[in-house]
Amino acid sequence: MNSKTTHKPRPMIDLLVSIVIPSLILMKLSGDEHLGAAGGLVAALSFPLAWGLFELIKYRKFNFIALLGLVSVLLTGGIGLFELDTKWLAIKEAAIPAIIGIAVLVSTFTPYPLVKALLFNPEVMDIEKINQKLREHNATQAFEARLLKATYLVACSFAFSATMNYILAKWLVTSPAGTAEFNEQLGELTLYSYPMIALPSMVMMLGVFYYLWCTIRDLTGLKLEEVMASKK
């Protein structure tokens, strides 16, 4: 009923289900004496796939990022099960953040820029109060210009992620798909991608949010507690 509004982020569960458990299965249970290469791959990918489908179905809310995550898992499974060249894994790893970055840029030509949806939205900030202060200070146009700069910074963070994903995949995954060694290296890729790619990308996104907050403070004179959305 109210699942759309009561959904709260669960980063520790997301980390456990999407990264830790699949990585351990790929690295420890992919040998012939356990699940085998194909069985280990299917078992590992079933966790993030099932969790992503659960989130989408339970909260019945279209999420572009979550959808790409599901597509990424399915593509990884296809590459492993059909024993495709590992170059496709590196391309896939780079393609997902690249698509998001391109979508962020393209959205600036629409009435619904993704940066506004990600950072400048009513769930995070008191949009009505901010817009009112911007009008009072005749700073609406200046704010839109800085918001566009924030959009470019977000796109750059995804470009960084795409580049690092490609480099890490080419460096770590060198064994043929369909082998236990491939699964083990895929597990290492999944495990290492978090501290080496996800965390730096998160820091960059926090930097963009700080830039946006400084912009609002400079143009409106509002303090942080006045800008943040109050919980109803």
Side-chain angles (χ1 to χ4, degrees):
M1 300 289 185
N2 297 324
S3 56
K4 286 186 180 181
T5 56
T6 57
H7 179 232
K8 295 180 180 179
R10 291 168 286 190
M12 293 307 296
I13 296 178
D14 290 340
L15 185 64
L16 186 67
V17 175
S18 300
I19 295 178
V20 177
I21 293 176
S23 297
L24 290 175
I25 292 174
L26 288 168
M27 291 188 291
K28 302 299 183 183
L29 300 177
S30 294
D32 292 334
E33 68 277 13
H34 296 110
L35 298 175
L41 183 63
V42 171
L45 295 180
S46 66
F47 280 88
L49 180 61
W51 181 246
L53 287 173
F54 168 77
E55 291 273 296
L56 287 176
I57 293 171
K58 181 174 176 62
Y59 299 107
R60 298 186 299 277
K61 189 175 182 181
F62 177 77
N63 187 318
F64 178 69
I65 308 296
L67 181 63
L68 279 178
L70 291 178
V71 171
S72 175
V73 169
L74 292 173
L75 288 176
T76 300
I79 291 168
L81 293 175
F82 291 106
E83 301 181 9
L84 303 180
D85 193 302
T86 53
K87 72 178 182 181
W88 293 109
L89 180 67
I91 292 172
K92 187 275 298 181
E93 289 293 313
I96 300 300
I99 289 171
I100 299 174
I102 292 170
V104 168
L105 289 176
V106 171
S107 71
T108 61
F109 300 99
T110 72
Y112 308 103
L114 283 177
V115 166
K116 282 190 175 181
L118 290 170
L119 302 176
F120 189 64
N121 68 73
E123 293 183 2
V124 178
M125 298 181 177
D126 191 333
I127 304 302
E128 186 176 342
K129 181 188 292 184
I130 294 170
N131 285 332
Q132 180 182 345
K133 285 291 184 180
L134 287 172
R135 288 192 294 269
E136 290 176 3
H137 291 77
N138 294 318
T140 301
Q141 190 172 355
F143 176 74
E144 291 295 331
R146 295 196 190 182
L147 194 62
L148 184 61
K149 185 181 290 186
T151 300
Y152 295 148
L153 291 174
V154 170
C156 285
S157 74
F158 284 112
F160 164 81
S161 180
T163 303
M164 290 302 297
N165 276 349
Y166 184 84
I167 293 172
L168 198 61
K170 292 289 286 184
W171 176 44
L172 288 177
V173 185
T174 57
S175 297
T179 63
E181 291 78 13
F182 170 83
N183 283 10
E184 185 175 348
Q185 291 168 359
L186 184 60
E188 292 176 354
L189 174 65
T190 304
L191 204 58
Y192 294 163
S193 65
Y194 188 77
M196 294 183 67
I197 298 171
L199 286 180
S201 297
M202 195 180 302
V203 170
M204 293 173 71
M205 288 294 291
L206 288 173
V208 174
F209 185 84
Y210 180 73
Y211 168 77
L212 187 60
W213 144 240
C214 289
T215 293
I216 294 171
R217 182 194 61 193
D218 294 343
L219 296 178
T220 66
L222 293 171
K223 297 179 181 178
L224 181 61
E225 58 269 21
E226 296 175 307
V227 166
M228 304 310 292
S230 59
K231 300 297 181 184
K232 303 285 172 82

